[in-house]
Amino acid sequence: GAGVSQSPRYKVAKRGQDVALRCDPISGHVSLFWYQQALGQGPEFLTYFQNEAQLDKSGLPSDRFFAERPEGSVSTLKIQRTQQEDSAVYLCASSPVDGTIYFGEGSWLTVV
Amino acid sequence: AQSVTQLDSQVPVFEEAPVELRCNYSSSVSVYLFWYVQYPNQGLQLLLKYLSGSTLVKGINGFEAEFNKSQTSFHLRKPSVHISDTAEYFCAVSEAAGNLIFGKGTKLSVKP
């Protein structure tokens, strides 16, 4: 497709369950970002890939969060042993070399 | 460290009136500046960006913003708003090819 595609759009997880969120970036985009947006807040940076290399993971809130992009295209954000504070929208974004970042519609995670 | 301040959390305005959404940033290096719009239950859509050159930037949907380096501001303006402009607006800053730092957002509510 023409834009950044994320799945699932909506996910309800029981506390303690593992979840995996998928991102298909715009074709040819080298950079890929994950952001977390809590209710009523602006997006906050989680991690950044350039091709398959994870160059910055300073925003990941705990070691329960893990992201990968093994072939430099599709990326997966995994959250282990989910907690209620993990409830948020997880936004994926990609960019070409000119620095403009394009966002997907997000994966809405609710932990109950 | 970079930071973004959006001074107004909510801005109510009547249809066809002008609007200005304020954004100030802090950074020790040259930055790129962005405005994104988020409609309910959707991801972020790029409105406009400042990378270099002319300080007055025109974007989609009739919006424009002016980069003021001395005041470290990047306020968003529209001369006449429509009901369909009701959304949340995020100002963001990045260094070259870096990740985005967002403000907390301004909710624009356009009333008939």
Coordinates of all heavy atoms in Angstrom, one line a residue, chain A residues 9-10 31 33 35 37 40-45 48 56 89 91 97-106 108, chain B residues 32 34 36 38 40-46 49 51 88 90 94 96-105 107:
Chain A
R9 N -5.2 -3.3 14.4 CA -5.6 -2.0 14.7 C -6.0 -1.9 16.2 O -5.8 -0.9 16.9 CB -6.7 -1.5 13.9 CG -6.4 -1.2 12.4 CD -5.5 0.1 12.3 NE -5.8 1.2 13.2 CZ -6.8 2.1 12.9 NH1 -7.5 2.0 11.8 NH2 -7.0 3.1 13.7
Y10 N -6.7 -2.9 16.7 CA -7.1 -2.9 18.1 C -6.8 -4.3 18.7 O -7.0 -5.3 18.1 CB -8.6 -2.7 18.1 CG -9.1 -1.4 17.5 CD1 -9.5 -1.4 16.2 CD2 -9.0 -0.2 18.2 CE1 -9.9 -0.2 15.6 CE2 -9.4 1.0 17.6 CZ -9.9 1.0 16.3 OH -10.2 2.1 15.7
S31 N 14.4 4.4 7.3 CA 14.2 4.5 8.7 C 12.8 4.1 9.2 O 11.8 4.3 8.5 CB 14.4 6.0 9.1 OG 15.7 6.4 8.8
F33 N 10.4 4.0 12.9 CA 10.3 4.4 14.3 C 9.1 3.8 15.0 O 8.0 3.6 14.3 CB 10.1 5.9 14.4 CG 11.2 6.7 13.7 CD1 11.1 6.9 12.3 CD2 12.2 7.3 14.4 CE1 12.1 7.7 11.7 CE2 13.2 8.1 13.8 CZ 13.1 8.2 12.4
Y35 N 6.6 4.7 18.3 CA 6.2 5.7 19.3 C 5.0 5.1 20.2 O 4.3 4.3 19.7 CB 5.7 7.0 18.7 CG 6.8 7.8 18.1 CD1 7.3 7.5 16.8 CD2 7.3 8.9 18.8 CE1 8.3 8.3 16.2 CE2 8.3 9.7 18.2 CZ 8.8 9.4 16.9 OH 9.8 10.1 16.4
Q37 N 1.8 6.4 22.5 CA 0.9 7.6 22.8 C -0.1 7.2 23.8 O -1.1 6.5 23.5 CB 0.2 8.1 21.5 CG -0.5 9.4 21.8 CD -1.1 10.0 20.5 OE1 -1.3 9.3 19.5 NE2 -1.5 11.3 20.6
G40 N -4.5 11.2 25.9 CA -4.3 12.6 26.2 C -2.9 13.2 26.2 O -2.7 14.3 26.6
Q41 N -2.0 12.4 25.7 CA -0.6 12.8 25.6 C -0.1 12.8 24.2 O -0.7 12.3 23.3 CB 0.3 11.9 26.4 CG -0.1 11.8 27.9 CD 0.2 13.1 28.6 OE1 1.2 13.7 28.4 NE2 -0.8 13.5 29.4
G42 N 1.0 13.5 24.0 CA 1.7 13.4 22.7 C 2.5 12.1 22.5 O 2.8 11.4 23.5
P43 N 2.8 11.7 21.3 CA 3.6 10.5 21.1 C 4.9 10.6 21.8 O 5.6 11.7 21.7 CB 3.7 10.4 19.6 CG 2.6 11.2 19.1 CD 2.4 12.3 20.0
E44 N 5.4 9.5 22.3 CA 6.7 9.5 22.9 C 7.6 8.4 22.2 O 7.1 7.3 22.0 CB 6.7 9.2 24.4 CG 6.0 10.4 25.1 CD 6.2 10.3 26.6 OE1 6.8 9.3 27.1 OE2 5.8 11.2 27.3
F45 N 8.8 8.7 21.9 CA 9.7 7.9 21.1 C 10.0 6.6 21.9 O 10.3 6.6 23.1 CB 11.0 8.6 20.9 CG 12.1 7.8 20.3 CD1 12.1 7.4 19.0 CD2 13.2 7.4 21.1 CE1 13.2 6.7 18.5 CE2 14.2 6.7 20.6 CZ 14.2 6.3 19.3
Y48 N 14.2 3.2 17.2 CA 14.5 3.6 15.9 C 15.4 2.6 15.2 O 16.4 2.1 15.7 CB 15.2 5.0 15.9 CG 15.9 5.4 14.7 CD1 15.3 5.5 13.5 CD2 17.3 5.8 14.8 CE1 16.0 6.0 12.3 CE2 18.0 6.2 13.7 CZ 17.4 6.3 12.5 OH 18.1 6.7 11.4
D56 N 18.7 3.1 18.0 CA 18.4 3.8 19.3 C 17.2 3.0 19.9 O 16.1 2.9 19.3 CB 18.0 5.2 19.0 CG 17.8 6.1 20.2 OD1 17.7 5.5 21.3 OD2 17.8 7.3 20.1
V89 N -1.7 3.8 22.5 CA -1.7 3.6 21.1 C -0.2 3.5 20.7 O 0.6 4.3 21.1 CB -2.3 4.8 20.3 CG1 -2.2 4.5 18.8 CG2 -3.8 5.0 20.7
L91 N 2.3 3.7 17.7 CA 2.4 4.3 16.4 C 3.7 3.9 15.8 O 4.8 4.0 16.4 CB 2.3 5.8 16.5 CG 1.0 6.4 17.0 CD1 1.2 7.9 17.3 CD2 -0.1 6.2 15.9
V97 N 15.1 9.5 3.0 CA 16.3 10.2 3.5 C 16.1 11.6 3.8 O 17.0 12.2 4.4 CB 17.4 10.0 2.4 CG1 17.9 8.6 2.3 CG2 17.0 10.5 1.1
D98 N 15.0 12.3 3.4 CA 14.9 13.7 3.6 C 14.4 14.1 5.0 O 14.2 15.2 5.3 CB 14.0 14.4 2.5 CG 12.5 14.0 2.7 OD1 12.2 13.2 3.6 OD2 11.7 14.6 2.0
G99 N 14.2 13.1 5.8 CA 13.8 13.3 7.2 C 12.4 13.5 7.5 O 12.0 13.5 8.7
T100 N 11.5 13.5 6.5 CA 10.1 13.7 6.9 C 9.5 12.3 7.3 O 9.7 11.3 6.6 CB 9.3 14.1 5.6 OG1 9.8 15.4 5.2 CG2 7.8 14.3 6.0
I101 N 8.9 12.3 8.4 CA 8.4 11.0 9.0 C 6.9 10.9 8.8 O 6.1 11.8 9.1 CB 8.7 11.0 10.5 CG1 10.3 11.0 10.7 CG2 8.2 9.7 11.2 CD1 10.7 11.1 12.2
Y102 N 6.5 9.7 8.3 CA 5.1 9.4 8.0 C 4.6 8.3 8.9 O 5.3 7.3 9.1 CB 5.0 9.0 6.5 CG 5.4 10.0 5.5 CD1 6.7 10.1 5.0 CD2 4.5 11.0 5.0 CE1 7.1 11.1 4.1 CE2 4.9 11.9 4.1 CZ 6.2 12.0 3.7 OH 6.5 12.9 2.8
F103 N 3.4 8.6 9.5 CA 2.9 7.7 10.5 C 1.8 6.8 10.0 O 1.0 7.1 9.1 CB 2.3 8.5 11.7 CG 3.3 9.1 12.6 CD1 4.0 10.3 12.2 CD2 3.7 8.5 13.7 CE1 5.0 10.8 13.0 CE2 4.7 9.0 14.6 CZ 5.3 10.2 14.2
G104 N 1.7 5.6 10.6 CA 0.6 4.7 10.4 C -0.6 5.1 11.3 O -0.4 6.1 12.1
E105 N -1.7 4.4 11.3 CA -2.8 4.7 12.0 C -2.8 4.2 13.5 O -3.7 4.5 14.3 CB -4.1 4.2 11.3 CG -4.3 5.0 10.0 CD -5.8 4.8 9.5 OE1 -6.4 3.7 9.7 OE2 -6.3 5.7 8.8
G106 N -1.8 3.4 13.8 CA -1.6 3.0 15.1 C -2.3 1.7 15.5 O -3.2 1.2 14.8
W108 N -4.1 0.1 18.8 CA -4.6 0.5 20.1 C -4.6 -0.7 21.0 O -5.3 -1.7 20.8 CB -6.0 1.0 19.9 CG -6.1 2.2 19.0 CD1 -5.8 2.3 17.6 CD2 -6.5 3.5 19.3 NE1 -6.0 3.5 17.2 CE2 -6.5 4.3 18.2 CE3 -7.0 4.1 20.5 CZ2 -6.8 5.7 18.2 CZ3 -7.3 5.5 20.5 CH2 -7.2 6.2 19.4
Chain B
Y32 N 14.7 20.7 12.6 CA 13.6 20.6 11.7 C 12.3 20.7 12.5 O 12.2 20.2 13.6 CB 13.6 19.3 10.9 CG 14.8 19.1 10.0 CD1 15.0 17.8 9.5 CD2 15.7 20.1 9.7 CE1 16.1 17.5 8.7 CE2 16.8 19.8 8.9 CZ 17.0 18.6 8.4 OH 18.1 18.3 7.6
F34 N 7.9 20.5 12.6 CA 6.8 19.9 12.0 C 5.5 20.2 12.7 O 5.5 20.4 14.0 CB 6.9 18.4 12.0 CG 8.2 17.9 11.4 CD1 9.4 17.9 12.1 CD2 8.2 17.4 10.1 CE1 10.6 17.4 11.5 CE2 9.4 16.9 9.5 CZ 10.5 17.0 10.2
Y36 N 1.7 18.2 13.0 CA 0.9 17.0 12.6 C -0.5 17.2 13.1 O -0.7 17.9 14.1 CB 1.5 15.7 13.2 CG 2.7 15.2 12.5 CD1 4.0 15.7 12.9 CD2 2.6 14.2 11.5 CE1 5.1 15.1 12.2 CE2 3.7 13.7 10.9 CZ 5.0 14.2 11.3 OH 6.1 13.6 10.7
Q38 N -4.1 15.1 14.2 CA -4.7 13.8 14.5 C -6.2 13.9 14.7 O -6.6 14.5 15.6 CB -4.0 13.2 15.8 CG -4.4 11.8 16.1 CD -3.6 11.2 17.3 OE1 -3.3 11.9 18.2 NE2 -3.2 10.0 17.2
P40 N -9.9 12.1 15.4 CA -10.3 11.0 16.4 C -10.0 9.6 15.9 O -10.4 9.3 14.7 CB -11.7 11.3 16.6 CG -11.9 12.8 16.4 CD -10.9 13.1 15.3
N41 N -9.4 8.8 16.7 CA -9.2 7.4 16.4 C -8.3 7.1 15.1 O -8.4 6.1 14.5 CB -10.5 6.6 16.3 CG -11.3 6.7 17.5 OD1 -10.7 6.7 18.6 ND2 -12.6 6.8 17.4
Q42 N -7.5 8.1 14.8 CA -6.6 8.0 13.6 C -5.2 8.3 14.0 O -4.9 8.8 15.1 CB -7.1 8.9 12.5 CG -8.5 8.5 11.9 CD -8.8 9.3 10.7 OE1 -7.9 9.8 9.9 NE2 -10.1 9.4 10.4
G43 N -4.3 8.0 13.1 CA -2.9 8.3 13.3 C -2.6 9.7 13.0 O -3.5 10.5 12.8
L44 N -1.3 10.0 12.9 CA -0.9 11.4 12.7 C -0.7 11.7 11.2 O -0.1 10.9 10.5 CB 0.5 11.6 13.4 CG 0.4 11.5 14.9 CD1 1.8 11.3 15.5 CD2 -0.2 12.8 15.5
Q45 N -1.2 12.8 10.8 CA -1.0 13.2 9.4 C -0.2 14.5 9.3 O -0.4 15.4 10.1 CB -2.4 13.5 8.8 CG -2.3 13.9 7.3 CD -3.7 14.2 6.7 OE1 -4.7 14.0 7.4 NE2 -3.8 14.5 5.5
L46 N 0.8 14.5 8.5 CA 1.7 15.7 8.3 C 1.0 16.8 7.7 O 0.4 16.7 6.7 CB 2.9 15.3 7.5 CG 3.9 16.4 7.3 CD1 4.6 16.8 8.6 CD2 5.0 16.0 6.3
K49 N 6.0 21.2 7.2 CA 7.3 21.1 7.8 C 8.2 22.2 7.4 O 8.1 22.8 6.4 CB 7.9 19.7 7.3 CG 8.1 19.7 5.8 CD 8.6 18.3 5.4 CE 8.8 18.3 3.8 NZ 9.1 17.0 3.3
L51 N 12.2 22.7 7.0 CA 13.6 22.1 7.0 C 14.6 23.1 6.8 O 15.7 23.1 7.5 CB 13.6 21.0 5.9 CG 12.6 19.9 5.9 CD1 12.8 18.9 4.7 CD2 12.6 19.2 7.2
E88 N -6.9 17.2 17.0 CA -5.8 17.6 17.8 C -4.5 17.8 17.0 O -4.3 17.1 16.0 CB -5.5 16.5 18.9 CG -4.5 16.9 19.9 CD -4.6 16.0 21.2 OE1 -5.2 14.9 21.2 OE2 -4.1 16.5 22.2
F90 N -0.4 18.5 16.8 CA 0.9 18.3 17.5 C 2.0 19.0 16.8 O 2.2 18.8 15.6 CB 1.2 16.8 17.6 CG 0.3 16.1 18.5 CD1 -0.8 15.4 18.0 CD2 0.5 16.0 19.9 CE1 -1.7 14.7 18.8 CE2 -0.3 15.3 20.7 CZ -1.4 14.6 20.1
S94 N 12.9 17.9 15.4 CA 13.9 16.9 15.3 C 15.2 17.5 14.8 O 15.2 18.5 14.2 CB 13.4 15.8 14.3 OG 13.6 16.2 13.0
A96 N 18.6 16.7 12.4 CA 18.7 16.1 11.1 C 18.6 14.5 11.2 O 19.3 13.9 11.9 CB 20.0 16.4 10.4
A97 N 17.6 14.0 10.5 CA 17.4 12.5 10.4 C 17.2 11.9 11.7 O 17.3 10.7 11.9 CB 18.6 11.9 9.7
G98 N 16.8 12.7 12.7 CA 16.6 12.1 14.0 C 15.1 11.8 14.3 O 14.3 12.1 13.5
N99 N 14.9 11.3 15.5 CA 13.5 11.0 15.8 C 12.8 12.3 16.3 O 13.5 13.3 16.6 CB 13.4 10.0 16.9 CG 13.7 10.5 18.3 OD1 12.9 11.2 18.9 ND2 14.9 10.2 18.8
L100 N 11.5 12.3 16.3 CA 10.7 13.5 16.6 C 10.4 13.6 18.1 O 10.1 12.6 18.8 CB 9.3 13.4 15.9 CG 9.4 13.5 14.4 CD1 8.1 13.1 13.8 CD2 9.7 15.0 14.0
I101 N 10.5 14.8 18.6 CA 10.1 15.1 20.0 C 8.8 15.9 19.8 O 8.8 17.0 19.2 CB 11.1 15.9 20.7 CG1 12.5 15.2 20.7 CG2 10.7 16.2 22.1 CD1 12.5 13.9 21.4
F102 N 7.7 15.4 20.5 CA 6.4 16.0 20.3 C 6.0 16.9 21.5 O 6.4 16.6 22.6 CB 5.3 15.0 20.2 CG 5.3 14.3 18.8 CD1 6.1 13.2 18.6 CD2 4.5 14.8 17.8 CE1 6.0 12.6 17.3 CE2 4.4 14.2 16.6 CZ 5.2 13.1 16.3
G103 N 5.2 17.9 21.2 CA 4.5 18.6 22.3 C 3.3 17.8 22.8 O 3.0 16.7 22.2
K104 N 2.6 18.3 23.8 CA 1.5 17.5 24.4 C 0.2 17.7 23.6 O -0.8 17.0 23.9 CB 1.3 18.0 25.8 CG 2.4 17.6 26.8 CD 2.1 17.9 28.2 CE 3.2 17.4 29.1 NZ 3.5 16.0 29.1
G105 N 0.2 18.5 22.5 CA -0.9 18.6 21.7 C -1.9 19.8 22.0 O -1.9 20.2 23.2
K107 N -5.9 20.7 21.3 CA -7.2 20.3 20.8 C -8.0 21.5 20.2 O -8.3 22.4 21.0 CB -8.1 19.6 21.8 CG -7.5 18.2 22.2 CD -8.4 17.5 23.2 CE -7.8 16.2 23.6 NZ -8.6 15.4 24.6

